[in-house]
Amino acid sequence: MATSDNLLEAILETAARLPDQVFIDAAEAGIVRYGELDTLTGRLAAVLQRHGVETGDRVAMQVEKSPLNLLLFHACLRIGAACLPLNTGYTDHELAYFIGDAEPRMLVCDPSRRDGLAALDAARGLAIHTLDGKGQGSLAEALAQTDEPAPLVARKADDLAAICYTSGTTGRSKGAMLTHGNLASNAATLRELWGFSAADRLLHALPIYHVHGLFVASNTAALAGATLLFLPRFDVDTVIERLPRATSMMGVPTFYTRLLDDPRFTGELVRHMRLFISGSAPLLEETFEAFRERTGHAILERYGMTETGMNTSNPLVGERKCGTVGPALPGVSVRVRGDGGAPAARGEAGVLEVRGPNVFSGYWRMPEKTAGEFTDDGFFRTGDIARIDEDGYVSIVGRDKDMIISGGLNVYPREVEACIDAMEGIGESAVIGVPHADFGEGVVAVVTAARGHAAPDEAEVIKAARRDLAAFKIPKRVMVVESLPRNSMGKVQKNLLRETYASLFGN
Ligand code: MLC
Ligand code: AMP
């Protein structure tokens, strides 16, 4: 019986029952069995402690996906340190902000980034270890030299387990503080709801620097004693090759559209599969229908956020309604508020609010920002526009926040605009998302020339943006206009721009 609310303790309970079962099968990158989890996480935790990481500290990780990367998250849980997963695409410029804000005790990065980040350790007393996608680096070397496992530290449900940064529509990126209770309750609910068991082999092609791959997929599988078929990234060839061994798969909509684009992806290939789950971005009805026609499987769509983990899900057994994200999870309350904060009538659209054990404890060192996002009765304002039907199924119909979701990754126009506006020769810019067959939405920048300057050059703008911004945020196109359309209040009319460029990517 678990003696504390430490999420790793719950995972190790499952592990103790299934010592020979494979937890992570990463093919040539190695295999980790459930029976090894206690010792491995203990030894890795001992390495962290030897470098000064204590309970309550933060450990930042910006590393390529590998089994050791996932175990590093578990090692943090073990000693009550909060892990700070960071997109591998973030530039040094972006990284410096997260390090400055979260003040981690340790950063684990790819060996190729080590030199560029050298200034950080000197300036902040930060211990830096390296780890590459093959599981090699100074962290692996230190692990090999460590025999004595660090004991597991008891945690309460409201103790911090992770800080996940999510950009804001205004201002700085915010670190969403997720607790052991948030992660454990959500994983236990999803295991039950989606019927995960030790018989499952979950095809895991998601990155593990976001909640989808790190928490939803990995924690749910680990609590169930399932096997993760761990791929370094989503690659159609490898996915098609490994699907015959899988029972289930989780992905963003781009995974499913890319599979459908490949003639080798047939109903025969996936007849044995139990479950396909989609989330992180809207699944188009045409994708749902084409998938069902090709394979006979109805993709199960669910809805969540970094701040909340999963909130709603279509059912495992029962109707999966296309175009909806299903009813609220057990224990989670959802409601829709119309204009002025009054409850919306059933079927009417408004801002979606959620409350439950999955909802984060607040933004790191931003108490005012946190207070502003919660209602007096404890509901979190998601910023998504939704409606709820007579059966309690939620449909996400829009966003109250100026955010683009590209291939399941969020891009905040304001951040890209600030970067472009600072460039020589640019007057102003407006960044929008328009339909894109592969990424769902494609980032487009509409720019004007600064007074007295020639029209900006598309390639130059893109090249300059790359210096500061991760590749997924870089506009796929830069359109030059004489002036941006504005309303009578002087606000840029992005809806007009979205209409103008709706077919830019040939949709
Ligand atoms: C990569 N690129 C992207 C991109 N991913 N551009 C826009 N949007 C993206 N998502 C860039 C690359 O850097 C490259 O640029 C160019 O686009 C082509 O890359 P690619 O080879 O096609 O990309 P690929 O490596 O295949 O990645 C695409 C992807 C990946 C869809 C497989 O982005 C992915 O795994 N997305 C999942 C993200 C995720 O896990 N989200 C969950 C968030 S949690 P260049 O210029 O370098 O050539 C969340 C909560 C919830 O939202 O509910 O789950
Ligand atoms: P993130 O901040 O990366 O966690 O992204 C969370 C956002 O992704 C949500 O607020 C929604 O806007 C969006 N999202 C997640 N799942 C879905 C879904 N199934 N349908 C539509 N939008 C989704």
Side-chain angles (χ1 to χ4, degrees):
M1 245 336 248
T3 55
S4 88
D5 298 320
N6 191 320
L7 167 62
L8 184 68
E9 209 178 324
I11 293 173
L12 291 177
E13 271 191 5
T14 302
R17 287 200 306 273
L18 301 160
D20 297 329
Q21 166 90 338
V22 174
F23 171 38
I24 308 173
D25 176 352
E28 55 276 11
I31 277 182
V32 177
R33 287 183 196 280
Y34 275 95
E36 297 173 282
L37 212 49
D38 195 13
T39 311
L40 272 176
T41 58
R43 287 170 50 216
L44 203 46
V47 173
L48 301 186
Q49 283 181 333
R50 216 170 47 238
H51 287 86
V53 178
E54 295 174 7
T55 303
D57 282 341
R58 275 82 54 208
V59 175
M61 49 194 213
Q62 192 199 28
V63 285
E64 295 298 336
K65 186 175 170 184
S66 70
L68 202 49
N69 180 187
L70 185 58
L71 295 179
L72 179 59
F73 160 57
H74 291 139
C76 293
L77 293 175
R78 187 172 182 107
I79 53 172
C83 97
L84 195 83
L86 295 165
N87 190 319
T88 47
Y90 289 146
T91 60
D92 292 355
H93 175 79
E94 290 166 315
L95 205 64
Y97 169 76
F98 299 121
I99 301 295
D101 191 56
E103 299 187 309
R105 177 76 59 182
M106 184 188 279
L107 165 68
V108 184
C109 68
D110 192 83
S112 64
R113 303 290 293 271
R114 178 71 183 84
D115 289 347
L117 299 170
L120 287 175
D121 51 348
R124 305 188 178 278
L126 179 74
I128 300 190
H129 258 304
T130 61
L131 185 65
D132 68 13
K134 295 197 165 66
Q136 309 287 316
S138 67
L139 188 73
E141 286 158 21
L143 176 66
Q145 289 157 13
T146 307
D147 291 328
E148 196 57 37
L152 185 135
V153 173
R155 294 281 77 193
K156 294 199 293 297
D158 58 3
D159 282 328
L160 194 58
I163 300 181
C164 296
Y165 274 86
T166 134
S167 289
T169 41
T170 54
R172 307 179 294 136
S173 269
K174 303 161 289 181
M177 297 191 287
L178 295 157
T179 65
H180 283 259
N182 293 148
L183 302 185
S185 67
N186 215 221
T189 301
L190 298 176
R191 176 196 54 187
E192 193 69 27
L193 198 73
W194 294 339
F196 273 89
S197 75
D200 263 295
R201 289 181 301 282
L202 175 69
L203 192 73
H204 192 303
L206 288 156
I208 55 170
Y209 45 67
H210 281 309
V211 307
H212 195 163
L214 186 58
F215 304 146
V216 184
S218 306
N219 291 344
T220 304
L223 279 189
T227 297
L228 296 172
L229 300 178
F230 218 54
L231 309 187
R233 54 183 286 276
F234 182 85
D235 162 69
V236 173
D237 291 341
T238 321
V239 168
I240 286 178
E241 182 201 309
R242 297 212 104 197
L243 268 171
R245 293 194 48 213
T247 60
S248 44
M249 174 175 148
M250 292 185 196
V252 298
T254 300
F255 287 17
Y256 295 110
T257 50
R258 286 189 182 182
L259 283 172
L260 283 168
D261 280 344
D262 196 303
R264 295 170 298 170
F265 183 71
T266 60
E268 186 56 36
L269 185 80
V270 296
R271 180 155 304 147
H272 67 287
M273 288 284 283
R274 180 176 85 73
L275 187 59
F276 289 95
I277 302 176
S278 176
S280 306
L283 182 72
L284 296 182
E285 297 199 13
E286 65 192 65
T287 310
F288 179 93
E289 294 300 354
F291 201 90
R292 177 142 67 183
E293 197 164 307
R294 176 93 61 94
T295 67
H297 287 282
I299 298 174
L300 183 155
E301 187 173 10
R302 62 31 166 208
Y303 156 77
M305 285 182 82
T306 299
E307 286 93 334
T308 63
M310 298 303 100
N311 296 309
T312 74
S313 171
N314 272 285
L316 181 65
V317 179
E319 191 185 1
R320 295 181 197 162
K321 286 193 200 177
C322 175
T324 81
V325 292
L329 300 185
V332 177
S333 307
V334 295
R335 70 183 186 197
V336 172
R337 297 268 136 162
D339 284 342
R346 191 129 290 224
E348 205 179 288
V351 175
L352 185 69
E353 299 179 347
V354 301
R355 187 172 67 183
N358 54 319
V359 177
F360 76 135
S361 60
Y363 294 113
W364 171 255
R365 290 180 179 164
M366 289 187 180
E368 281 161 23
K369 184 85 201 155
T370 303
E373 304 284 346
F374 282 88
T375 63
D376 289 344
D377 56 350
F379 276 77
F380 173 64
R381 299 188 180 95
T382 63
D384 288 309
I385 308 289
R387 61 165 67 97
I388 305 180
D389 75 8
E390 63 287 356
D391 299 324
Y393 282 57
V394 176
S395 296
I396 308 293
V397 295
R399 280 170 225 143
D400 195 25
K401 43 194 177 189
D402 192 14
M403 177 180 98
I404 300 165
I405 307 185
S406 172
L409 295 173
N410 297 354
V411 180
Y412 285 86
R414 206 187 128 111
E415 186 187 5
V416 184
E417 286 159 4
C419 171
I420 295 176
D421 290 349
M423 292 174 194
E424 174 82 19
I426 297 284
E428 56 178 352
S429 66
V431 169
I432 53 171
V434 301
H436 189 288
D438 188 29
F439 292 125
E441 289 182 273
V443 178
V444 174
V446 186
V447 304
T448 66
R451 201 184 300 258
H453 282 76
D457 178 71
E458 178 168 25
E460 287 299 323
V461 173
I462 290 177
K463 191 169 149 204
R466 277 184 187 283
R467 282 197 283 273
D468 285 344
L469 300 175
F472 71 89
K473 300 178 190 170
I474 305 294
K476 304 279 180 219
R477 291 297 313 270
V478 177
M479 312 309 290
V480 180
V481 294
E482 284 292 317
S483 62
L484 295 175
R486 291 183 181 277
N487 65 14
S488 55
M489 311 286 288
K491 199 167 177 290
V492 176
Q493 292 171 299
K494 287 197 169 178
N495 51 336
L496 289 186
L497 293 175
R498 279 186 214 106
E499 277 170 30
T500 306
Y501 297 110
S503 307
L504 193 60
F505 297 114
N507 300 89

